[in-house]
Amino acid sequence: EVGVVRQFGRFVAQTGPGLNYRLPWPIQVHDIVNVAAVRRAEIGYREVEERGQEPVRRRIQEESLMLTGDRNIVDIQILVLYQVKDAVTFLFRAENPEEALRVNTEVALRSVIGNMDIDHAMTVGRPEVEAETWKILQMLLDTHQTGLHVAGIELQVVDPPDEVRESFYDVVRAKADRERLIREAEGYARDVVPRARGEAAAIVHAATAYRDERIALAEGEAERFLKILEEYRKAEAVTRQRLYLETIERVL
């Protein structure tokens, strides 16, 4: 905590923990501000505690319903964690710094959601929503001199409105099924195509081997015929007789 001392209403000193002294009222007065505590601001909902029961979350539609970049309505609930970074600015610069934080959070969040599709905001875009809202909100708080520092932003709920929620989820599930079927088809293709290519390569290799074998046999037969022809020309009568005898031998 820090103490902020005023003299006749004007700020004159800021003190830290320990023993401190100020002049008595009406000359001087002081305000004590906790600068270490992490405070909470709930936007789009409120947690109501009842004695002996768990806190109940109640939605505030005026804050939670927003228009996305693709002209859909989305229900968003967000939690802002913040601290006082400058006690003097917090006390004297803005009339109601914490209310300004709530309003500026809603402004920042609507600005971010208004430039984003609902599908992106509900799925992979949640970290982006938090980061961009944090950036814009801190800039607004500094501009309005609230003396506040945003310690963290946590999206609680990002849903379509109740009236179309089930239909919207049906669409989301259909898209998920489509992506799953596409992945299964791609996996099947990755399995079938290499196997088919392997079988085609095996057939080509077998055909090539058969072709080479037939060519080699044909060349051998041709070479043998040419040698016989050469011998035949050297001694036609003897060769003719030998061929005749070999033929008769095979017939018999």
Side-chain angles (χ1 to χ4, degrees):
E1 295 178 337
V2 298
V4 178
V5 181
R6 290 178 287 156
Q7 181 171 308
F8 298 118
R10 181 185 295 274
F11 165 71
V12 292
Q14 179 173 305
T15 62
L19 184 63
N20 296 283
Y21 173 80
R22 66 166 175 81
L23 297 176
W25 182 87
I27 300 174
Q28 290 185 337
V29 295
H30 73 276
D31 299 283
I32 296 177
V33 181
N34 191 329
V35 296
V38 178
R39 312 182 188 202
R40 296 163 53 98
E42 299 162 347
I43 309 300
Y45 73 102
R46 301 290 186 274
E47 285 191 355
V48 180
E49 295 185 1
E50 298 180 0
R51 183 176 299 178
Q53 297 181 0
E54 293 293 329
V56 178
R57 176 173 294 190
R58 295 180 180 175
R59 184 174 58 183
I60 310 298
Q61 289 191 348
E62 294 80 5
E63 297 176 357
S64 65
L65 294 181
M66 302 182 184
L67 192 64
T68 64
D70 55 351
R71 302 297 186 271
N72 281 300
I73 296 176
V74 65
D75 183 4
I76 294 185
Q77 299 173 12
I78 191 170
L79 172 65
V80 180
L81 305 175
Y82 65 97
Q83 294 173 292
V84 177
K85 67 176 180 179
D86 187 331
V88 177
T89 303
F90 175 73
L91 288 174
F92 305 126
R93 291 297 182 182
E95 182 177 355
N96 191 336
E98 293 179 295
E99 182 61 26
L101 178 135
R102 301 185 64 84
V103 173
N104 286 322
T105 300
E106 191 174 342
V107 170
L109 185 57
R110 289 184 185 277
S111 175
V112 173
I113 293 298
N115 293 312
M116 187 177 296
D117 293 344
I118 187 170
D119 290 342
H120 186 68
M122 290 180 57
T123 54
V124 297
R126 294 172 68 99
E128 182 181 347
V129 172
E130 294 175 346
E132 289 298 319
T133 303
W134 188 341
K135 178 180 176 181
I136 297 174
L137 175 58
Q138 188 62 64
M139 180 187 67
L140 292 173
L141 294 177
D142 294 340
T143 300
H144 297 158
Q145 296 184 324
T146 60
L148 298 176
H149 166 70
V150 180
I153 288 182
E154 300 175 4
L155 278 176
Q156 304 295 303
V157 172
V158 183
D159 285 330
D162 294 339
E163 294 78 4
V164 297
R165 184 166 299 172
E166 288 303 319
S167 299
F168 191 90
Y169 285 153
D170 288 340
V171 174
V172 172
R173 284 190 289 267
K175 290 181 178 179
D177 290 341
R178 181 189 65 183
E179 295 298 326
R180 177 180 56 81
L181 292 173
I182 289 174
R183 287 194 296 270
E184 289 178 356
E186 290 174 348
Y188 178 74
R190 285 193 295 268
D191 176 61
V192 170
V193 172
R195 188 164 60 244
R197 287 175 178 169
E199 293 174 356
I203 293 172
V204 170
H205 290 322
T208 302
Y210 178 75
R211 181 198 63 188
D212 294 340
E213 179 186 4
R214 300 309 300 174
I215 290 174
L217 289 175
E219 289 175 349
E221 291 292 333
E223 185 178 358
R224 176 174 172 276
F225 178 78
L226 292 175
K227 289 182 178 179
I228 293 174
L229 178 61
E230 183 180 355
E231 294 298 326
Y232 175 75
R233 288 174 177 172
K234 291 180 181 178
E236 294 183 2
V238 174
T239 303
R240 187 184 300 110
Q241 182 66 24
R242 182 174 61 81
L243 291 175
Y244 171 76
L245 294 176
E246 289 177 356
T247 302
I248 293 300
E249 181 179 6
R250 285 199 300 272
V251 172
L252 295 177

